[in-house]
Amino acid sequence: MTTIAIAGAGRLATQLATAIATHSTGTATIIQVWSRSKSHATELAGRLARYSHVDAAWGTPESITTEADAYIIAVADDGIAAMAQALHRGREHALIAHTSGTTPLAAITATGHERAAVLYPLQTFSREHTTDFARLHIFIEAAREADHELLATLAATLTPRTNIHTSTSAQRRQLHIAAVFASNFVCHCCTIADSLLADAGLDFSVLQPLVEEQVAKLRTMPPAEAQTGPAARGDSHVMGTHMAMLATQPRLQQLYRMLSESIQATGRERATRH
């Protein structure tokens, strides 16, 4: 049984800790959660209490237990190296892993810690919405093969083995920027759509079947083949109308132009290749 301390109590930490507490019985147990904020630490510990007793720690990293077998760092990227440095002292026996898509494994190995790893669950997280880990992919990197297998065994309690991948730091960075385009930018475009609908007295719910159909298509065909719309079909009349409608919103007009030109350029490149 691997004992785990979670450094962090944000969205990712909350969902990962809950998933481990729920599904990893017999493989791993969380003994402590830590946050700089007392309220965040105690809130997460209380959430996990229904599964087993979990201590809450807060303040400086020195308050984190030295008794865990593994430490999972789930803090903001710019705090990972400092946390890894703090955890290295007095915990040389333990595995230290972070959960970032962009931060390299070297953020931990640079502290001199030999048992360094990354456990990166590819998903968008929120505190309120419970994440279904069984549907997501988890990417692992480790300095030691034994620690890679330990994390893979833990991950396998959360998601099928076919969804667990070995990745380098460079691959993970590329994966993260791809995810920004596929998720974060898409959500921003939906935010813009919501605002445009509100201007017409309409609710975003009218677009949900369209969004869901687009996602369904992406399960069965490559994204480039699923592309539709006026830019994809070269309908300059419709695009001109849209540009005119956005004349009083130059930022959105510029974004519309850039995205349309990118769609058309991608279409030309595909036509050339084929």
Side-chain angles (χ1 to χ4, degrees), residues 91-102:
R91 302 171 183 84
E92 291 81 2
H93 68 285
L95 169 63
I96 298 178
H98 72 67
T99 57
S100 168
T102 56

Side-chain angles (χ1 to χ4, degrees), residues 98-106 116-122 137-143 145 148 151-152 163-176:
H98 72 67
T99 57
S100 168
T102 56
T103 303
L105 180 67
V118 180
L119 180 74
Y120 174 51
L122 179 59
H137 293 258
I138 296 177
F139 295 81
I140 296 172
E141 183 179 10
E145 181 59 34
H148 184 286
L151 288 179
N163 288 356
I164 302 170
H165 313 273
T166 299
S167 69
T168 65
S169 293
Q171 287 174 322
R172 205 170 56 256
R173 284 196 301 271
Q174 192 77 358
L175 178 66
H176 191 262

Side-chain angles (χ1 to χ4, degrees), residues 39-103:
S39 62
H40 289 170
T42 54
E43 178 185 351
L44 180 52
R47 178 171 179 160
L48 302 178
R50 73 189 71 172
Y51 308 105
S52 63
H53 174 75
V54 177
D55 288 330
W58 55 86
T60 65
E62 284 70 27
S63 64
I64 299 175
T65 180
T66 58
E67 301 301 318
D69 299 320
Y71 297 82
I72 298 179
I73 301 173
V75 300
D77 283 21
D78 60 5
I80 290 174
M83 179 59 71
Q85 183 67 53
L87 288 177
H88 176 56
R89 295 189 292 271
R91 302 171 183 84
E92 291 81 2
H93 68 285
L95 169 63
I96 298 178
H98 72 67
T99 57
S100 168
T102 56
T103 303

Side-chain angles (χ1 to χ4, degrees), residues 135-165:
R135 299 184 65 245
L136 61 80
H137 293 258
I138 296 177
F139 295 81
I140 296 172
E141 183 179 10
R144 291 184 176 185
E145 181 59 34
D147 290 328
H148 184 286
E149 184 54 35
L150 186 154
L151 288 179
T153 299
L154 173 63
T157 65
L158 309 177
T159 193
R161 279 272 182 178
T162 52
N163 288 356
I164 302 170
H165 313 273

